[in-house]
Amino acid sequence: MKFRQTKQVFKHLPGTRIQGMGYNPIRKRLMLVSDDSLASFSSSKLNGRGHLTNVNFNWSAFAPKREFEGVAYGNSSRAYLLVNHNPEVLVSDRSY
């Protein structure tokens, strides 16, 4: 396996620190997870077909009662979100 640099620098992040990242294979979007925020964007923008701008992102902010740690997707495009402080897994009510 090899990795290459994408030349993308995020000027605006969800939250103060990125906690994790997930990939939605149905929507072909990457999701960045922060303490109480989520940001998703099209993975095609990282394949040399353009650069990310603010309009490429879907942003979601939540009340800071839970701290998000990671996200995963099953066979659907619903997100499974891992949170701590009373550890639990949340599932989205629709595709994200």
Side-chain angles (χ1 to χ4, degrees):
M1 178 184 316
K2 293 183 179 182
F3 290 91
R4 69 173 176 79
Q5 187 176 4
T6 63
K7 310 271 191 222
Q8 291 288 325
V9 176
F10 300 113
K11 292 181 181 179
H12 305 285
L13 299 174
T16 56
R17 289 181 174 77
I18 300 297
Q19 301 288 104
M21 183 174 73
Y23 178 68
N24 182 334
I26 293 173
R27 294 190 65 214
K28 296 180 173 65
R29 293 182 72 82
L30 286 165
M31 182 179 295
L32 302 177
V33 179
S34 185
D35 291 341
D36 58 1
S37 304
L38 303 172
S40 76
F41 59 93
S42 173
S43 61
S44 68
K45 293 291 185 178
L46 298 178
N47 295 329
R49 292 182 241 150
H51 293 282
L52 291 166
T53 63
N54 283 345
V55 298
N56 300 123
F57 285 85
N58 291 336
W59 300 90
S60 297
F62 295 82
K65 296 183 186 221
R66 293 183 164 102
E67 184 174 326
F68 301 161
E69 297 296 333
V71 66
Y73 292 88
N75 293 333
S76 72
S77 62
R78 288 189 177 193
Y80 294 89
L81 186 63
L82 176 66
V83 298
N84 69 10
H85 303 301
N86 299 326
E88 58 189 331
V89 175
L90 307 177
V91 63
S92 65
D93 64 351
R94 65 184 192 284
S95 175
Y96 188 83

